[in-house]
Amino acid sequence: MTEFAKTFLDVCLTLSLVMLGIAFFLTTARIIIGPTLPDRVLGLDMLTSVAIGFIAVIGIDTGFTLYVDIAIALGLVGFLATVAFARFILARGKTADDDEKKDLRKIDGDPNETGDAAIAETGRHR
Amino acid sequence: MIGAILTIFAGLLILGGSAFAAIAAFGILRLPDLYTRMHAASKAGSVGSGMALLALALVSDSSPEALRAIAAIAFFLLTAPLSAHLLAKAAYTVGYRMWPGSVLDEMPEMEATTRDAHTPASGHPALNAGDVTETKRD
């Protein structure tokens, strides 16, 4: 029973490291493609939480639970960074770079969705 | 015996937590606008890392490590909604729009009230839909 538990935990650790790596990759892709500043700030926030989960999984895997302290500090720093960025967004206002009309992506099978022209038209009427 | 059960439970917890994190990252890449992305990221991200930290607390031998992990969970659950709400409110106040497929916007018009910051007063998307580039600072 104990042997089975150890093997099961090993398989779970490998699988979850793979999934957390995928999460890192996808979040980094969102940070790179943006397109607006709040999207990037949200991606950084998400990256912090994924990193905390990664630290916990590494702590189970290798026994280096010292990193849990670093995870707490990382959570604090990430929270403060997000708060500061939110204040900055509030103070900066919206700039011309944030043309988010281009990024309104098509969700498959959406009835309101007929192409870029329709999206631009809707955006103009709002 | 009880140790084996705890180990299996911890394995299931980290599997679920990292699945939550991966789904949240997929949602952050796939969803159409900032607010729906925020819905994916803030909820599933905090639950994902919280489950992994709970598994660490279950597996660890000494109680200070477990207490530290539980303190990290408590801290993270405390701060994640705050930062998400603050970011969403700042983005909405400044005038980032929802995507055209959204059906309801119950939020009233708000004015940005950052002291000493010359924020444009009309930040609502209904008001400055056409003139995005008009935001100027002096």
Side-chain angles (χ1 to χ4, degrees), chain B residues 66-83:
Chain B
L67 275 180
R68 240 174 270 163
I70 289 174
I73 294 174
F75 181 75
F76 208 64
L77 284 184
L78 214 59
T79 57
L82 278 180
S83 60

Side-chain angles (χ1 to χ4, degrees), chain A residues 42-66:
Chain A
L42 184 68
L44 282 177
D45 198 24
M46 174 78 191
L47 209 59
T48 312
S49 62
V50 175
I52 290 174
F54 199 82
I55 286 172
V57 173
I58 287 290
I60 296 173
D61 200 2
T62 63
F64 281 145
T65 46
L66 175 70

Side-chain angles (χ1 to χ4, degrees), chain B:
Chain B
M1 184 61 196
I2 193 80
I5 290 177
L6 275 186
T7 309
I8 290 177
F9 193 56
L12 289 178
L13 272 179
I14 56 169
L15 212 56
S18 48
F20 258 106
I23 292 169
F26 185 68
I28 222 176
L29 193 68
R30 185 77 181 95
L31 287 172
D33 68 351
L34 172 71
Y35 306 102
T36 48
R37 276 172 210 152
M38 193 168 289
H39 146 82
S42 65
K43 248 183 286 194
S46 60
V47 169
S49 57
M51 280 170 96
L53 283 169
L54 191 62
L56 180 67
L58 283 183
V59 166
S60 66
D61 336 314
S62 62
S63 60
E65 289 170 2
L67 275 180
R68 240 174 270 163
I70 289 174
I73 294 174
F75 181 75
F76 208 64
L77 284 184
L78 214 59
T79 57
L82 278 180
S83 60
H85 177 254
L86 201 57
L87 186 61
K89 197 170 179 188
Y92 191 89
T93 306
V94 162
Y96 290 99
R97 269 165 284 170
M98 300 192 216
W99 74 302
S102 50
V103 290
L104 186 61
D105 180 6
E106 282 188 330
M107 196 88 168
E109 177 188 348
M110 287 188 303
E111 280 197 12
T113 56
T114 311
R115 195 179 300 172
D116 291 336
H118 303 284
T119 310
S122 64
H124 196 265
L127 293 181
N128 60 356
D131 44 10
V132 179
T133 57
E134 206 198 29
T135 326
K136 65 184 175 197
R137 281 161 289 170
D138 41 9

Side-chain angles (χ1 to χ4, degrees), chain A residues 32-116:
Chain A
I32 290 172
I33 59 182
T36 65
L37 180 64
D39 285 318
R40 294 194 168 99
V41 176
L42 184 68
L44 282 177
D45 198 24
M46 174 78 191
L47 209 59
T48 312
S49 62
V50 175
I52 290 174
F54 199 82
I55 286 172
V57 173
I58 287 290
I60 296 173
D61 200 2
T62 63
F64 281 145
T65 46
L66 175 70
Y67 290 137
V68 177
D69 296 345
I70 302 176
I72 295 175
L74 190 64
L76 176 64
V77 170
F79 171 64
L80 287 182
T82 311
V83 170
F85 266 120
R87 296 290 288 182
F88 171 63
I89 289 167
L90 206 58
R92 183 194 68 153
K94 203 175 165 197
T95 59
D97 302 337
D98 298 331
D99 194 7
E100 78 263 38
K101 221 182 283 177
K102 265 183 263 169
D103 188 61
L104 294 172
R105 299 165 60 103
K106 301 180 185 65
I107 295 270
D108 304 329
D110 194 298
N112 297 326
E113 198 74 44
T114 49
D116 286 340

